[in-house]
Amino acid sequence: MSYLKTLFLHPPSYQGFDGGAGSRYQARREVRSFWYPTWLAQPAALVPGSRLIDAPPDGLTLDDVRPLARQYDLAILHTSTPSFVQDVKVAEALRAENPALRIGFVGAHVAVQRERALAASGAIDFVCHGEFDFTVREVAEGRPLGDVRGLSYRDGTRLRATPPRPPIEDMDTLPFVVPVYARDLTVEHYYIGYLLHPYVSLYTGRGCRSKCTFCLWPQTVGGQRYRTRSVEHVIEEIALARRHFPQVKEYFFDDDTFTDDLPRAERIARRLGRLGVTWSCNAKANVPRATLEVMKDNGLRLLLVGYESGNQSILNNIKKGIRLDHARRFTQDARDLGIKIHGTFVLGLPGETRQTIEASIRFACDADPDTIQVSLAAPYPGTALYDQAVENGWLVRDALVGADGTQQSPLGYPGLPHTEIFEAVPRFYRKFYFRPGKLAALTGEMIRDREVMKRRLREGREFLGFLSRRRAHA
Ligand code: SF4
């Protein structure tokens, strides 16, 4: 089988913009952060002779990537709602460089807004619906677009859609991403503040059983059930990763909710324990202590936990399926066992008031996860939150990010203007981090480890810069 020469590209964007095919909510963050472009690495692994370029972590500009267009027959660009306009400009520049280049867009944004995306520019030949791994492979095989399921394409002046492609059921048919990372990426360029550096992340499954109204991937590309790779398949890939990347200090399982299937999570943990790796994963704040014990005993270092809010009514509004008392108990269990937690909170979800913001700050300080992230509610097209926001007139601005790529506050409520929600973010961070106990814990970590000290000092500078930028924007 011969394949079109294929370039998988996460296009250049705002400086330091974490918007690749692995970032759920694309934005320039408080500290330099980059997720792996795993969603692009997956089809890249299916197309022999292809290349994956992740422009932002590699510091590549449009001038750097434009000449590459001449070397390829097919370019697959990962896009997102915040970066779409910029990504279209990149596609147009590639097309100008090589008029014969076929260009396809992938990602949740185009999976939802298919016709609108195609209509945005003649440089986009097709957009993929939902999961796009095998769709892209078939296009790269040179099949006519009309014969490939799961895409919308331009046919002269008409826009057409092919029949849907069923979701992948046998997840072991997806190839390993690690060889693509090793071939095309520099693992040292990927940072996440709360993960050891360098880290490697990948997925052991797709989809999430929960139905949180704001959450993008399960409602657009992953689905609301957890489709998983076999334990054997996962362990084989981690063993391979260790051979490729002896310098890596931590593996992160970026499944929407790795703990959605507890017996499987325990089975994987036990096998990871035998390999002797340090690892971390996404979890819901309801993992029983017994499972936490198994995971901790087998190398788990940290859990990334979406608490979202410290107000039960808001959790109910967004269908989080979590009780605050359970979340507190879980956090205490993790602390007792020595598992670190990076807790994420969202301000501006439906039902937010001045009082609920203060309740979330209090909850975060009381539960006291090791580190936190505070985001602004982002109504991405394709989510129930977006539909609700449009219906109720909560959308006060279209853009999810500002001119430098940092998050905007697009939602406002009667009695709580969007500016107040925006201003509450730095206040949340200050109240959480500028406490004597928290500052002492962070300083202690730095004293114990020189590498951590170097990173924390850089992140501290970036974080203070973020707080002062926020003040300037407010
Ligand atoms: S539990 Fe997490 S990943 Fe699952 S739908 Fe809710 S926010 Fe999304």
Side-chain angles (χ1 to χ4, degrees):
M1 169 76 66
S2 69
Y3 289 85
L4 300 179
K5 212 153 176 328
T6 306
L7 173 67
F8 291 88
L9 177 64
H10 167 210
S13 193
Y14 312 96
Q15 203 194 1
F17 187 72
D18 182 21
S23 171
R24 285 176 173 75
Y25 302 99
Q26 298 78 16
R28 188 174 163 200
R29 308 206 180 280
E30 302 79 31
V31 297
R32 186 178 164 79
S33 306
F34 289 115
W35 287 107
Y36 278 81
T38 318
W39 283 93
L40 273 186
Q42 219 103 52
L46 288 167
V47 179
S50 64
R51 180 176 172 195
L52 166 60
I53 292 183
D54 193 0
D58 288 347
L60 299 176
T61 64
L62 180 54
D63 285 342
D64 296 319
V65 300
R66 191 195 335 248
L68 294 172
R70 280 180 253 135
Q71 301 170 22
Y72 291 92
D73 310 309
L74 172 66
I76 303 297
L77 274 64
H78 190 275
T79 191
S80 66
T81 301
S83 65
F84 180 72
V85 172
Q86 176 64 23
D87 299 335
V88 167
K89 287 186 191 148
V90 174
E92 288 171 347
L94 298 179
R95 171 61 55 74
E97 196 73 23
N98 176 4
L101 182 71
R102 175 170 275 185
I103 300 178
F105 272 37
V106 296
H109 181 76
V110 293
V112 174
Q113 304 207 327
R114 302 165 184 179
E115 299 218 333
R116 235 170 115 176
L118 272 176
S121 171
I124 308 174
D125 295 305
F126 67 97
V127 301
C128 291
H129 313 160
E131 272 181 325
F132 49 79
D133 316 85
F134 292 94
T135 308
V136 168
R137 185 174 74 174
E138 289 177 17
V139 175
E141 286 169 359
R143 298 193 197 186
L145 293 177
D147 292 353
V148 177
R149 298 176 80 141
L151 54 78
S152 295
Y153 65 106
R154 187 183 305 287
D155 179 11
T157 54
R158 304 188 63 174
L159 305 181
R160 298 186 190 276
T162 61
R165 177 178 291 273
I168 302 167
E169 295 302 337
D170 179 359
M171 298 297 278
D172 286 0
T173 57
L174 285 170
F176 295 163
V177 290
V178 160
V180 175
Y181 291 180
R183 186 191 66 194
D184 294 338
L185 308 179
T186 306
V187 295
E188 285 76 11
H189 289 181
Y190 292 84
Y191 289 92
I192 293 293
Y194 45 88
L195 297 181
L196 303 180
H197 182 77
Y199 83 98
V200 158
S201 72
L202 45 82
Y203 309 129
T204 78
R206 289 179 181 167
C208 178
R209 289 177 181 161
S210 301
K211 300 196 167 40
C212 307
T213 59
F214 66 91
C215 187
L216 181 64
W217 285 356
Q219 295 183 78
T220 52
V221 289
Q224 291 175 322
R225 63 200 166 96
Y226 188 31
R227 292 166 295 133
T228 54
R229 295 165 56 192
S230 67
V231 174
E232 208 51 56
H233 202 244
V234 173
I235 296 301
E236 229 182 280
E237 185 163 21
I238 296 297
L240 179 67
R242 292 185 78 204
R243 293 199 289 279
H244 276 297
F245 312 119
Q247 74 275 37
V248 159
K249 297 205 176 105
E250 176 159 27
Y251 289 92
F252 184 78
F253 298 113
D254 198 16
D255 305 33
D256 289 322
T257 307
F258 180 75
T259 52
D260 245 358
D261 181 343
L262 294 173
R264 174 179 177 272
E266 291 184 15
R267 282 201 300 279
I268 291 180
R270 289 196 171 93
R271 297 290 302 277
L272 291 170
R274 276 191 248 155
L275 283 182
V277 296
T278 298
W279 58 283
S280 47
C281 65
N282 290 318
K284 220 168 150 175
N286 60 1
V287 183
R289 187 176 177 113
T291 301
L292 290 177
E293 278 170 356
V294 172
M295 298 202 298
K296 172 65 185 170
D297 288 348
N298 288 285
L300 173 71
R301 189 187 71 84
L302 173 140
L303 295 173
L304 172 51
V305 178
Y307 293 100
E308 327 306 0
S309 173
N311 176 274
Q312 188 64 54
S313 304
I314 291 185
L315 294 181
N316 298 345
N317 290 347
I318 61 169
K319 301 192 167 64
K320 184 74 195 174
I322 278 284
R323 276 178 34 189
L324 279 176
D325 55 336
H326 291 178
R328 277 201 187 88
R329 159 73 64 82
F330 154 87
T331 310
Q332 186 60 48
D333 285 343
R335 182 177 306 110
D336 294 347
L337 294 168
I339 300 167
K340 290 195 176 297
I341 292 187
H342 178 73
T344 61
F345 293 85
V346 182
L347 295 184
L349 291 167
E352 195 80 277
T353 63
R354 285 176 197 126
Q355 291 73 30
T356 60
I357 290 175
E358 295 312 314
S360 290
I361 296 174
R362 271 198 310 278
F363 175 85
C365 293
D366 291 349
D368 201 22
D370 295 86
T371 49
I372 58 164
Q373 179 176 317
V374 185
S375 306
L376 291 157
Y380 276 69
T383 63
L385 176 62
Y386 180 83
D387 296 340
Q388 232 181 339
V390 171
E391 223 170 86
N392 292 289
W394 298 334
L395 261 184
V396 292
R397 54 172 69 185
D398 285 338
L400 297 176
V401 298
D404 63 352
T406 45
Q407 265 205 312
Q408 301 275 338
S409 179
L411 296 181
Y413 301 98
L416 188 67
H418 71 113
T419 46
E420 248 183 79
I421 301 171
F422 186 83
E423 286 159 18
V425 172
R427 190 168 79 249
F428 198 139
Y429 275 124
R430 274 196 293 269
K431 286 206 169 166
F432 182 82
Y433 278 114
F434 296 173
R435 292 177 293 152
K438 190 50 79 184
L439 286 173
L442 294 175
T443 310
E445 269 183 16
M446 295 202 303
I447 291 169
R448 282 191 295 278
D449 188 328
R450 280 186 64 78
E451 269 306 303
V452 172
M453 175 167 317
K454 262 176 29 200
R455 269 184 57 211
R456 287 267 190 268
L457 289 175
R458 173 181 61 76
E459 288 168 3
R461 275 196 303 277
E462 290 173 3
F463 183 65
L464 291 173
F466 160 81
L467 290 183
S468 64
R469 277 201 308 276
R470 282 275 155 157
R471 254 200 304 274
H473 285 195

